[in-house]
C-alpha cells in the first residue's frame, strides 16, 4: 500500500542561506576589491533583500504532497489562461505593488534599462519565470499554487509603473543627485 508523503518547506531554510552567501560576496567584493561605494552597497543589499522577500511571497511555504492521493487535480486545471475576466482584484493589486520596487531598481542596477519597453520585458520575464516555477512545483511536489495569466499582466504592469515612478522622481534635482550616488551605473 502506497503512502502519501506530506510536509511543508519553509522559506527560512532556503532564503536565509542565500542571503548569507550574498552578504559574504558583498563583504568580499567591497573589502577586497573596493568595488562598491557605501551607497551602492546599500542599493545591492536592499535589492537582494527585496528579491528574496518577493521569492518568499511567490513560492513559500511549499506544501509537498507526493503519493497516492497527491495531485488528484490535473496540472493543466491549475492554470488560468483567461485574462482580465477572471481577475481577483486584491491579488491583482498586490502583484502590481510587489513588482513596483523591481521596476524602480532596474535603471539603478543597469544603464541598459532606460526605456519603458525594457522595463516591461524585464517584468514580463521575471513574471514568466515565477509562473513557470510555480507550475513546475505544482506538478512535481503537489503544491497548491496556481499559474495565472493575470499575474503576468499585473507583475509586468507593476514593473512598468515602478520604472515610470523612478524616472519621474529622477526629474527632481535633489532626488537625482541621491539616485546618481546610489546607482551602479552613472547614467541615471
Amino acid at each position: 500500500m502506497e503512502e502519501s508523503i506530506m510536509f511543508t518547506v519553509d522559506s527560512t531554510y532556503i532564503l536565509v542561506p542565500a542571503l548569507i552567501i550574498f552578504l559574504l560576496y558583498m563583504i568580499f567584493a567591497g573589502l577586497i576589491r573596493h568595488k562598491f561605494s557605501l551607497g551602492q552597497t546599500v542599493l545591492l543589499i536592499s535589492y537582494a533583500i527585496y528579491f528574496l522577500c518577493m521569492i518568499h511571497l511567490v513560492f513559500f511555504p511549499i506544501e509537498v504532497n507526493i503519493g497516492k492521493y497527491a495531485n488528484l487535480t490535473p496540472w493543466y486545471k491549475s492554470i488560468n489562461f483567461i485574462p482580465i475576466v477572471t481577475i481577483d482584484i486584491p491579488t491583482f493589486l498586490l502583484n502590481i505593488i510587489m513588482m513596483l520596487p523591481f521596476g524602480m531598481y532596474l535603471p539603478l542596477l543597469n544603464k541598459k534599462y532606460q526605456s519603458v519597453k525594457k522595463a516591461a520585458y524585464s517584468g514580463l520575464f521575471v513574471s514568466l519565470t515565477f509562473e513557470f516555477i510555480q507550475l513546475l512545483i505544482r506538478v512535481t511536489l503537489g503544491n497548491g499554487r496556481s499559474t495565472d495569466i493575470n499575474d503576468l499582466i499585473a507583475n509586468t504592469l507593476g514593473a512598468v509603473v515602478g520604472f515610470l515612478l523612478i524616472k519621474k522622481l529622477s526629474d527632481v534635482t535633489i532626488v537625482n543627485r541621491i539616485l546618481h550616488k546610489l546607482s551602479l551605473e552613472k547614467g541615471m
Side-chain angles (χ1 to χ4, degrees):
M1 184 164 122
E2 185 180 330
E3 291 286 323
S4 290
I5 300 170
M6 295 175 21
F7 60 93
T8 301
V9 178
D10 187 51
S11 65
T12 308
Y13 302 116
I14 296 169
L15 300 183
V16 169
L19 181 61
I20 290 169
I21 290 167
F22 178 76
L23 292 174
L24 288 172
Y25 166 76
M26 288 301 299
I27 290 169
F28 175 76
L31 293 178
I32 305 299
R33 298 184 197 157
H34 301 288
K35 187 175 181 181
F36 304 116
S37 70
L38 178 60
Q40 292 170 329
T41 302
V42 168
L43 175 76
L44 287 168
I45 291 172
S46 69
Y47 178 72
I49 291 169
Y50 157 72
F51 204 82
L52 290 174
C53 288
M54 196 166 49
I55 290 171
H56 169 78
L57 290 171
V58 172
F59 298 115
F60 291 94
I62 297 174
E63 302 293 333
V64 177
N65 186 5
I66 302 171
K68 186 175 183 179
Y69 297 107
N71 297 325
L72 293 176
T73 304
W75 65 269
Y76 53 86
K77 289 192 176 183
S78 69
I79 301 173
N80 176 24
F81 293 107
I82 304 168
I84 309 301
V85 177
T86 56
I87 276 183
D88 172 38
I89 299 294
T91 302
F92 193 80
L93 293 173
L94 288 172
N95 275 315
I96 290 172
I97 292 167
M98 178 183 75
M99 288 294 282
L100 276 170
F102 180 79
M104 295 176 82
Y105 275 111
L106 286 175
L108 296 171
L109 294 172
N110 194 320
K111 67 180 173 187
K112 77 176 186 177
Y113 296 106
Q114 296 301 319
S115 73
V116 173
K117 186 177 179 180
K118 288 190 178 191
Y121 282 142
S122 295
L124 179 63
F125 177 76
V126 167
S127 185
L128 273 170
T129 303
F130 284 171
E131 295 301 313
F132 177 75
I133 292 170
Q134 281 180 334
L135 179 62
L136 189 63
I137 290 171
R138 168 111 178 146
V139 169
T140 59
L141 301 178
N143 186 351
R145 304 259 176 161
S146 63
T147 300
D148 193 336
I149 187 82
N150 293 312
D151 292 351
L152 290 173
I153 295 166
N155 291 343
T156 304
L157 183 60
V160 167
V161 170
F163 176 82
L164 291 172
L165 185 60
I166 197 75
K167 284 303 196 179
K168 195 67 172 164
L169 285 171
S170 70
D171 289 343
V172 178
T173 305
I174 188 78
V175 174
N176 193 348
R177 285 187 192 142
I178 293 168
L179 293 176
H180 186 73
K181 288 182 181 184
L182 293 175
S183 177
L184 297 183
E185 306 284 347
K186 298 307 178 191
M188 185 69 195

PDB file of all heavy atoms in Angstrom, residues 48-66:
ATOM      1  N   ALA A  48      18.745  42.750  -2.919  1.00  0.00           N
ATOM      2  CA  ALA A  48      18.797  41.322  -2.598  1.00  0.00           C
ATOM      3  C   ALA A  48      17.718  40.957  -1.588  1.00  0.00           C
ATOM      4  O   ALA A  48      17.013  39.946  -1.747  1.00  0.00           O
ATOM      5  CB  ALA A  48      20.175  40.943  -2.070  1.00  0.00           C
ATOM      6  N   ILE A  49      17.565  41.779  -0.556  1.00  0.00           N
ATOM      7  CA  ILE A  49      16.538  41.515   0.450  1.00  0.00           C
ATOM      8  C   ILE A  49      15.148  41.603  -0.181  1.00  0.00           C
ATOM      9  O   ILE A  49      14.288  40.752   0.054  1.00  0.00           O
ATOM     10  CB  ILE A  49      16.685  42.478   1.645  1.00  0.00           C
ATOM     11  CG1 ILE A  49      17.960  42.135   2.420  1.00  0.00           C
ATOM     12  CG2 ILE A  49      15.458  42.420   2.559  1.00  0.00           C
ATOM     13  CD1 ILE A  49      18.363  43.155   3.460  1.00  0.00           C
ATOM     14  N   TYR A  50      14.931  42.631  -1.006  1.00  0.00           N
ATOM     15  CA  TYR A  50      13.651  42.767  -1.699  1.00  0.00           C
ATOM     16  C   TYR A  50      13.371  41.542  -2.571  1.00  0.00           C
ATOM     17  O   TYR A  50      12.278  40.973  -2.538  1.00  0.00           O
ATOM     18  CB  TYR A  50      13.632  44.040  -2.567  1.00  0.00           C
ATOM     19  CG  TYR A  50      12.624  43.972  -3.688  1.00  0.00           C
ATOM     20  CD1 TYR A  50      11.259  44.058  -3.431  1.00  0.00           C
ATOM     21  CD2 TYR A  50      13.035  43.769  -5.006  1.00  0.00           C
ATOM     22  CE1 TYR A  50      10.339  43.954  -4.455  1.00  0.00           C
ATOM     23  CE2 TYR A  50      12.118  43.676  -6.036  1.00  0.00           C
ATOM     24  CZ  TYR A  50      10.774  43.762  -5.755  1.00  0.00           C
ATOM     25  OH  TYR A  50       9.859  43.657  -6.761  1.00  0.00           O
ATOM     26  N   PHE A  51      14.352  41.102  -3.360  1.00  0.00           N
ATOM     27  CA  PHE A  51      14.142  39.984  -4.264  1.00  0.00           C
ATOM     28  C   PHE A  51      13.861  38.696  -3.495  1.00  0.00           C
ATOM     29  O   PHE A  51      13.000  37.905  -3.882  1.00  0.00           O
ATOM     30  CB  PHE A  51      15.333  39.811  -5.210  1.00  0.00           C
ATOM     31  CG  PHE A  51      14.962  39.105  -6.477  1.00  0.00           C
ATOM     32  CD1 PHE A  51      14.380  39.797  -7.520  1.00  0.00           C
ATOM     33  CD2 PHE A  51      15.171  37.746  -6.627  1.00  0.00           C
ATOM     34  CE1 PHE A  51      14.000  39.154  -8.701  1.00  0.00           C
ATOM     35  CE2 PHE A  51      14.807  37.087  -7.799  1.00  0.00           C
ATOM     36  CZ  PHE A  51      14.219  37.789  -8.831  1.00  0.00           C
ATOM     37  N   LEU A  52      14.569  38.483  -2.383  1.00  0.00           N
ATOM     38  CA  LEU A  52      14.315  37.302  -1.561  1.00  0.00           C
ATOM     39  C   LEU A  52      12.923  37.366  -0.920  1.00  0.00           C
ATOM     40  O   LEU A  52      12.244  36.335  -0.812  1.00  0.00           O
ATOM     41  CB  LEU A  52      15.401  37.142  -0.502  1.00  0.00           C
ATOM     42  CG  LEU A  52      16.780  36.750  -1.040  1.00  0.00           C
ATOM     43  CD1 LEU A  52      17.815  36.757   0.076  1.00  0.00           C
ATOM     44  CD2 LEU A  52      16.754  35.405  -1.750  1.00  0.00           C
ATOM     45  N   CYS A  53      12.497  38.550  -0.516  1.00  0.00           N
ATOM     46  CA  CYS A  53      11.133  38.713   0.016  1.00  0.00           C
ATOM     47  C   CYS A  53      10.101  38.401  -1.065  1.00  0.00           C
ATOM     48  O   CYS A  53       9.071  37.772  -0.797  1.00  0.00           O
ATOM     49  CB  CYS A  53      10.920  40.128   0.549  1.00  0.00           C
ATOM     50  SG  CYS A  53      11.782  40.463   2.091  1.00  0.00           S
ATOM     51  N   MET A  54      10.373  38.828  -2.280  1.00  0.00           N
ATOM     52  CA  MET A  54       9.475  38.537  -3.385  1.00  0.00           C
ATOM     53  C   MET A  54       9.401  37.019  -3.617  1.00  0.00           C
ATOM     54  O   MET A  54       8.318  36.463  -3.811  1.00  0.00           O
ATOM     55  CB  MET A  54       9.963  39.271  -4.650  1.00  0.00           C
ATOM     56  CG  MET A  54       8.934  39.362  -5.720  1.00  0.00           C
ATOM     57  SD  MET A  54       9.307  40.526  -7.055  1.00  0.00           S
ATOM     58  CE  MET A  54      10.961  40.151  -7.528  1.00  0.00           C
ATOM     59  N   ILE A  55      10.530  36.348  -3.584  1.00  0.00           N
ATOM     60  CA  ILE A  55      10.552  34.892  -3.739  1.00  0.00           C
ATOM     61  C   ILE A  55       9.752  34.231  -2.619  1.00  0.00           C
ATOM     62  O   ILE A  55       8.987  33.288  -2.851  1.00  0.00           O
ATOM     63  CB  ILE A  55      12.003  34.370  -3.798  1.00  0.00           C
ATOM     64  CG1 ILE A  55      12.643  34.794  -5.116  1.00  0.00           C
ATOM     65  CG2 ILE A  55      12.068  32.857  -3.615  1.00  0.00           C
ATOM     66  CD1 ILE A  55      14.125  34.525  -5.202  1.00  0.00           C
ATOM     67  N   HIS A  56       9.914  34.749  -1.403  1.00  0.00           N
ATOM     68  CA  HIS A  56       9.149  34.227  -0.270  1.00  0.00           C
ATOM     69  C   HIS A  56       7.644  34.345  -0.528  1.00  0.00           C
ATOM     70  O   HIS A  56       6.896  33.394  -0.325  1.00  0.00           O
ATOM     71  CB  HIS A  56       9.539  34.972   1.010  1.00  0.00           C
ATOM     72  CG  HIS A  56       8.634  34.679   2.160  1.00  0.00           C
ATOM     73  ND1 HIS A  56       8.734  33.525   2.891  1.00  0.00           N
ATOM     74  CD2 HIS A  56       7.604  35.388   2.675  1.00  0.00           C
ATOM     75  CE1 HIS A  56       7.797  33.529   3.821  1.00  0.00           C
ATOM     76  NE2 HIS A  56       7.101  34.646   3.703  1.00  0.00           N
ATOM     77  N   LEU A  57       7.210  35.501  -0.991  1.00  0.00           N
ATOM     78  CA  LEU A  57       5.785  35.722  -1.236  1.00  0.00           C
ATOM     79  C   LEU A  57       5.237  34.856  -2.369  1.00  0.00           C
ATOM     80  O   LEU A  57       4.103  34.379  -2.307  1.00  0.00           O
ATOM     81  CB  LEU A  57       5.527  37.198  -1.580  1.00  0.00           C
ATOM     82  CG  LEU A  57       5.705  38.194  -0.452  1.00  0.00           C
ATOM     83  CD1 LEU A  57       5.627  39.618  -0.983  1.00  0.00           C
ATOM     84  CD2 LEU A  57       4.665  37.966   0.630  1.00  0.00           C
ATOM     85  N   VAL A  58       6.033  34.650  -3.404  1.00  0.00           N
ATOM     86  CA  VAL A  58       5.559  33.947  -4.588  1.00  0.00           C
ATOM     87  C   VAL A  58       5.567  32.426  -4.402  1.00  0.00           C
ATOM     88  O   VAL A  58       4.660  31.739  -4.878  1.00  0.00           O
ATOM     89  CB  VAL A  58       6.412  34.337  -5.816  1.00  0.00           C
ATOM     90  CG1 VAL A  58       6.078  33.471  -7.021  1.00  0.00           C
ATOM     91  CG2 VAL A  58       6.204  35.804  -6.157  1.00  0.00           C
ATOM     92  N   PHE A  59       6.541  31.877  -3.692  1.00  0.00           N
ATOM     93  CA  PHE A  59       6.705  30.423  -3.664  1.00  0.00           C
ATOM     94  C   PHE A  59       6.442  29.747  -2.323  1.00  0.00           C
ATOM     95  O   PHE A  59       6.133  28.561  -2.300  1.00  0.00           O
ATOM     96  CB  PHE A  59       8.129  30.039  -4.096  1.00  0.00           C
ATOM     97  CG  PHE A  59       8.459  30.457  -5.487  1.00  0.00           C
ATOM     98  CD1 PHE A  59       9.444  31.401  -5.723  1.00  0.00           C
ATOM     99  CD2 PHE A  59       7.785  29.929  -6.568  1.00  0.00           C
ATOM    100  CE1 PHE A  59       9.749  31.803  -7.002  1.00  0.00           C
ATOM    101  CE2 PHE A  59       8.078  30.323  -7.860  1.00  0.00           C
ATOM    102  CZ  PHE A  59       9.059  31.259  -8.077  1.00  0.00           C
ATOM    103  N   PHE A  60       6.571  30.444  -1.223  1.00  0.00           N
ATOM    104  CA  PHE A  60       6.569  29.773   0.076  1.00  0.00           C
ATOM    105  C   PHE A  60       5.324  30.093   0.881  1.00  0.00           C
ATOM    106  O   PHE A  60       4.746  31.152   0.723  1.00  0.00           O
ATOM    107  CB  PHE A  60       7.821  30.177   0.860  1.00  0.00           C
ATOM    108  CG  PHE A  60       9.078  29.632   0.266  1.00  0.00           C
ATOM    109  CD1 PHE A  60       9.824  30.387  -0.615  1.00  0.00           C
ATOM    110  CD2 PHE A  60       9.495  28.344   0.559  1.00  0.00           C
ATOM    111  CE1 PHE A  60      10.986  29.889  -1.185  1.00  0.00           C
ATOM    112  CE2 PHE A  60      10.648  27.830  -0.006  1.00  0.00           C
ATOM    113  CZ  PHE A  60      11.397  28.611  -0.877  1.00  0.00           C
ATOM    114  N   PRO A  61       4.967  29.178   1.791  1.00  0.00           N
ATOM    115  CA  PRO A  61       5.556  27.859   2.016  1.00  0.00           C
ATOM    116  C   PRO A  61       5.190  26.914   0.882  1.00  0.00           C
ATOM    117  O   PRO A  61       4.144  27.050   0.266  1.00  0.00           O
ATOM    118  CB  PRO A  61       4.932  27.411   3.333  1.00  0.00           C
ATOM    119  CG  PRO A  61       3.622  28.124   3.392  1.00  0.00           C
ATOM    120  CD  PRO A  61       3.830  29.427   2.680  1.00  0.00           C
ATOM    121  N   ILE A  62       6.057  25.983   0.626  1.00  0.00           N
ATOM    122  CA  ILE A  62       5.793  24.960  -0.384  1.00  0.00           C
ATOM    123  C   ILE A  62       5.221  23.744   0.339  1.00  0.00           C
ATOM    124  O   ILE A  62       5.886  23.153   1.186  1.00  0.00           O
ATOM    125  CB  ILE A  62       7.081  24.574  -1.146  1.00  0.00           C
ATOM    126  CG1 ILE A  62       7.630  25.779  -1.906  1.00  0.00           C
ATOM    127  CG2 ILE A  62       6.803  23.405  -2.093  1.00  0.00           C
ATOM    128  CD1 ILE A  62       8.980  25.538  -2.561  1.00  0.00           C
ATOM    129  N   GLU A  63       4.002  23.424   0.000  1.00  0.00           N
ATOM    130  CA  GLU A  63       3.338  22.258   0.571  1.00  0.00           C
ATOM    131  C   GLU A  63       3.643  21.063  -0.325  1.00  0.00           C
ATOM    132  O   GLU A  63       3.137  20.982  -1.439  1.00  0.00           O
ATOM    133  CB  GLU A  63       1.825  22.485   0.654  1.00  0.00           C
ATOM    134  CG  GLU A  63       1.406  23.689   1.468  1.00  0.00           C
ATOM    135  CD  GLU A  63       1.711  23.556   2.946  1.00  0.00           C
ATOM    136  OE1 GLU A  63       1.765  22.410   3.460  1.00  0.00           O
ATOM    137  OE2 GLU A  63       1.916  24.600   3.582  1.00  0.00           O
ATOM    138  N   VAL A  64       4.469  20.175   0.156  1.00  0.00           N
ATOM    139  CA  VAL A  64       4.841  18.993  -0.617  1.00  0.00           C
ATOM    140  C   VAL A  64       3.814  17.899  -0.335  1.00  0.00           C
ATOM    141  O   VAL A  64       3.517  17.604   0.816  1.00  0.00           O
ATOM    142  CB  VAL A  64       6.267  18.509  -0.248  1.00  0.00           C
ATOM    143  CG1 VAL A  64       6.625  17.243  -1.001  1.00  0.00           C
ATOM    144  CG2 VAL A  64       7.271  19.613  -0.520  1.00  0.00           C
ATOM    145  N   ASN A  65       3.267  17.333  -1.401  1.00  0.00           N
ATOM    146  CA  ASN A  65       2.253  16.296  -1.280  1.00  0.00           C
ATOM    147  C   ASN A  65       2.497  15.270  -2.385  1.00  0.00           C
ATOM    148  O   ASN A  65       2.033  15.427  -3.504  1.00  0.00           O
ATOM    149  CB  ASN A  65       0.858  16.911  -1.397  1.00  0.00           C
ATOM    150  CG  ASN A  65      -0.234  15.910  -1.134  1.00  0.00           C
ATOM    151  OD1 ASN A  65       0.015  14.770  -0.778  1.00  0.00           O
ATOM    152  ND2 ASN A  65      -1.465  16.342  -1.345  1.00  0.00           N
ATOM    153  N   ILE A  66       3.249  14.230  -2.047  1.00  0.00           N
ATOM    154  CA  ILE A  66       3.636  13.213  -3.017  1.00  0.00           C
ATOM    155  C   ILE A  66       3.057  11.872  -2.580  1.00  0.00           C
ATOM    156  O   ILE A  66       3.146  11.505  -1.417  1.00  0.00           O
ATOM    157  CB  ILE A  66       5.181  13.109  -3.127  1.00  0.00           C
ATOM    158  CG1 ILE A  66       5.771  14.455  -3.518  1.00  0.00           C
ATOM    159  CG2 ILE A  66       5.583  12.026  -4.115  1.00  0.00           C
ATOM    160  CD1 ILE A  66       7.281  14.519  -3.435  1.00  0.00           C
TER     161      ILE A  66
END
